[in-house]
Amino acid sequence: PSRTFHGNSRLLTSQIVSYYESINQCKKELPEYFNFASDVLDEWARLEKDGRKPANPAFWWVNDEGEEVKWSFEELGSLSRKAANVLSEACGLQRGDRVIAVLPRVPEWWLLNVACMRAGIVFIPGTSQLTAKDISYRLQASKAKCFITNDTLAPAVESVLPGSQFLKSKLLVGKGSRAGWPNLKELL
């Protein structure tokens, strides 16, 4: 089936499948380095800006109350670069470091995911149903250096901090505030 992706005939399903088949058959080489944020999202932003790709939202989120967040590829790229800087500078993380994010699926969850890809930081998602014991286990097993959560889940993280030898920084997502937890929105 050959159909367009978001109205762009350049990205036909059959072309995408064909491209990956040619890699699997060793007719094309895999790139030595690949970063989804810079190699795909930034490229799509450039194509939109140049008028060679129709403008479509890169991200569109709506909650149960009808609140809406819509980012273009250019906006997602810019925000993810800022978030990557927050992780690198404010949190002191480097390529290869691990981050645990225990959040409901709010826009920041996706933003941080892309920011981690961009910075080469390993993003470890966790469900907001984790208990303090679960969090403690994940912190120790992953050797995560940063924990990202909201003000509702922060107390469970704080209860296990004394046993966490690798954790260096914490980030709070949302409108709340908590002592010792810098707020992502303020840092952005």
Side-chain angles (χ1 to χ4, degrees):
S2 180
R3 48 181 251 246
T4 62
F5 179 72
H6 290 289
N8 190 341
S9 60
R10 190 172 157 254
L11 296 172
L12 295 175
T13 304
S14 62
Q15 290 173 327
I16 293 169
V17 171
S18 172
Y19 179 77
Y20 286 106
E21 283 175 355
S22 65
I23 289 173
N24 286 333
Q25 295 169 3
C26 299
K27 294 178 183 173
K28 288 190 180 192
E29 285 193 37
L30 287 172
E32 186 176 351
Y33 300 102
F34 174 79
N35 185 303
F36 180 78
S38 57
D39 294 335
V40 176
L41 294 179
D42 291 350
E43 176 64 13
W44 285 358
R46 190 181 62 73
L47 290 172
E48 276 188 0
K49 191 174 183 179
D50 294 347
R52 296 186 335 186
K53 180 183 180 308
N56 288 299
F59 179 82
W60 194 347
W61 175 89
V62 181
N63 69 7
D64 293 339
E65 289 81 43
E67 249 184 295
E68 184 176 285
V69 173
K70 193 186 290 190
W71 294 324
S72 68
F73 285 97
E74 189 174 352
E75 290 168 323
L76 180 57
S78 174
L79 285 169
S80 67
R81 280 188 285 281
K82 288 179 182 181
N85 287 337
V86 166
L87 295 172
S88 298
E89 295 168 12
C91 297
L93 300 175
Q94 299 175 0
R95 180 176 295 280
D97 286 344
R98 296 171 188 96
V99 169
I100 296 177
V102 177
L103 294 166
R105 295 306 177 253
V106 292
E108 292 85 357
W109 188 90
W110 281 275
L111 176 63
L112 289 161
N113 199 327
V114 174
C116 284
M117 286 180 214
R118 191 175 289 286
I121 295 168
V122 179
F123 183 81
I124 304 170
T127 175
S128 54
Q129 297 172 332
L130 293 176
T131 65
K133 184 178 176 182
D134 298 328
I135 291 168
S136 178
Y137 172 77
R138 282 163 175 75
L139 280 169
Q140 296 310 312
S142 69
K143 300 178 182 170
K145 293 186 178 179
C146 180
F147 202 97
I148 304 169
T149 194
N150 60 17
D151 56 342
T152 306
L153 301 166
V157 177
E158 287 175 338
S159 72
V160 299
L161 286 181
S164 177
Q165 59 198 32
F166 304 103
L167 195 67
K168 292 182 177 181
S169 59
K170 306 170 293 201
L171 270 181
L172 197 65
V173 169
K175 297 175 182 157
S177 64
R178 191 168 196 83
W181 289 77
N183 188 294
L184 176 66
K185 192 172 224 171
E186 292 171 10
L187 293 172
L188 287 174

